[in-house]
Amino acid sequence: MLAWMLLYFVLAAAGTWLARRYALKRDLLDRPDERRSHAVTTPRGGGIAIVAALLVACVALTIRLPDQALLMAAFAAGLVVVAGAGWFDDHRPTSPWVRLGAHAVAATLFAGAILHVFADPWLAGAAAIAILVLVNVWNFMDGINGLAATQTMLVAFALGAFIGGPWTGVALALAAACLGFLPFNFPRAAIFLGDVGSGALGYAVGAITIMASATQSMPWPLLFLPLSTFLVDAGLTLLMRMRRGERWWTAHVQHSYQVWVRSGAGHATVTFVYMAWTLLAILLMLGLRQSSPLFMLCGVVAWYMSSAFAWWLLRRAAQQRVLRNH
């Protein structure tokens, strides 16, 4: 397994280097403006390297475990659809509704395979919802150096350690590929994930989470814990924008991590704090694994309530610093 992880690390690192050369040649650049949190013009599209490494992992695992061929094929097809939509958007911005349609196609492909293999319509429905939600959450939260890639790496590694079977390989391949990408994106960014990367990471995290539930290797309420960092920030910010009557589907800089950066915090500081938040959630997931269902559910609810309160405190303090700075 370590040898395979090293391969995916190298593939992602080499692919990111090539993607940067391509982006510079094709003028695929994110320039600073009022909707972005960076101050330097930076190439985008580096996430294509993570996608390529994951596709190699799918082929290798299918050869080794042909009984997983249908699920692996569906996962790979959905990944290509999501990444392809993002790749086109990185080259020429497209309608968010067109991208959402592509995400729905990818979600349907994987959900259909889940239904065929497990004959469980509830699990298939959960797969479709998880993929649609997490693809867009990862798109929303990919706004500062290292944030989306580090969160994906932590979640994938945590799930990979407990899923068992072939999907451990997929999860650890994702974690290794993110690690190969990170030297180009954190603490300083030589290239961004781009929509090709952020959407693909959300898709992969959603699919792996569903497989963790399908194999019953982890009680399903606990699977919400590693995702809490992004779900809380994205979810509460979305609700806030909807309450204000804003066009919530458009790009903005209103997430708490973005407000914190505007208040003067460095990208690395914010990313490390969000990593610590997720690591604590993973530790709680492990601690609650053997507890009773009621205690487990109470623990998850308490964690989300605490996280929401921490989100509010962070946002309030950061907004006050922004006002003082101006």
Side-chain angles (χ1 to χ4, degrees):
M1 185 62 73
L2 287 176
W4 282 105
M5 289 182 69
L6 178 61
L7 172 63
Y8 303 135
F9 172 89
V10 171
L11 286 175
T16 304
W17 181 78
L18 291 172
R20 187 175 187 275
R21 288 174 60 98
Y22 173 84
L24 290 171
K25 183 177 180 180
R26 295 293 298 271
D27 196 36
L28 299 180
L29 304 173
D30 276 345
R31 294 177 172 84
D33 60 29
E34 68 280 358
R35 298 181 305 167
R36 294 186 169 91
S37 298
H38 62 278
V40 178
T41 299
T42 306
R44 64 177 179 267
I48 190 68
I50 300 175
V51 173
L54 266 185
L55 291 175
V56 171
C58 288
V59 172
L61 289 166
T62 300
I63 293 172
R64 290 172 53 202
L65 300 156
D67 60 308
Q68 295 290 317
L70 177 61
L71 285 170
M72 289 289 177
F75 173 78
L79 181 66
V80 169
V81 170
V82 172
W87 183 250
F88 281 116
D89 191 61
D90 285 332
H91 284 73
R92 181 176 298 176
T94 56
S95 164
W97 306 114
V98 171
R99 296 198 303 274
L100 184 61
H103 303 162
V105 169
T108 301
L109 285 171
F110 192 70
I114 289 286
L115 181 61
H116 181 81
V117 172
F118 295 99
D120 185 342
W122 290 102
L123 185 64
I129 293 171
I131 286 173
L132 280 173
V133 169
L134 293 180
V135 166
N136 288 282
V137 165
W138 251 254
N139 271 323
F140 294 154
M141 297 297 290
D142 178 33
I144 63 172
N145 300 349
L147 185 61
T150 55
Q151 289 295 311
T152 304
M153 180 183 68
L154 291 175
V155 173
F157 187 80
L159 294 178
F162 301 103
I163 291 174
W167 288 84
T168 292
V170 177
L172 295 181
L174 177 59
C178 288
L179 189 60
F181 168 78
L182 276 169
F184 298 88
N185 184 246
F186 185 77
R188 294 187 178 182
I191 190 168
F192 294 146
L193 281 169
D195 284 342
V196 63
S198 58
L201 295 188
Y203 170 85
V205 168
I208 294 167
T209 301
I210 289 298
M211 289 307 301
S213 177
T215 58
Q216 298 182 347
S217 55
M218 183 68 67
W220 68 264
L222 299 185
L223 296 174
F224 283 94
L225 291 173
L227 304 173
S228 62
T229 306
F230 271 17
L231 288 181
V232 168
D233 196 345
L236 292 179
T237 303
L238 177 62
L239 289 174
M240 179 189 68
R241 299 195 75 210
M242 293 174 68
R243 185 174 61 83
R244 292 175 178 173
E246 299 176 1
R247 293 165 60 89
W248 53 266
W249 58 89
T250 59
H252 62 88
V253 286
Q254 296 184 36
H255 291 287
S256 284
Y257 75 89
Q258 293 168 317
V259 176
W260 198 3
V261 167
R262 285 207 311 277
S263 74
H267 286 216
T269 299
V270 177
T271 295
F272 276 128
V273 170
Y274 274 57
M275 287 175 66
W277 186 354
T278 297
L279 284 170
L280 288 174
I282 291 169
L283 290 174
L284 180 61
M285 178 182 73
L286 299 180
L288 291 175
R289 191 180 185 190
Q290 302 299 327
S291 60
S292 68
L294 179 59
F295 189 79
M296 189 184 300
L297 184 60
C298 289
V300 173
V301 171
W303 176 259
Y304 268 82
M305 291 178 65
S306 300
S307 297
F309 183 62
W311 176 88
W312 178 78
L313 286 178
L314 169 63
R315 185 177 195 86
R316 182 182 180 188
Q319 287 176 329
Q320 289 175 348
R321 284 196 295 271
V322 170
L323 291 174
R324 286 198 298 268
N325 292 338
H326 287 79

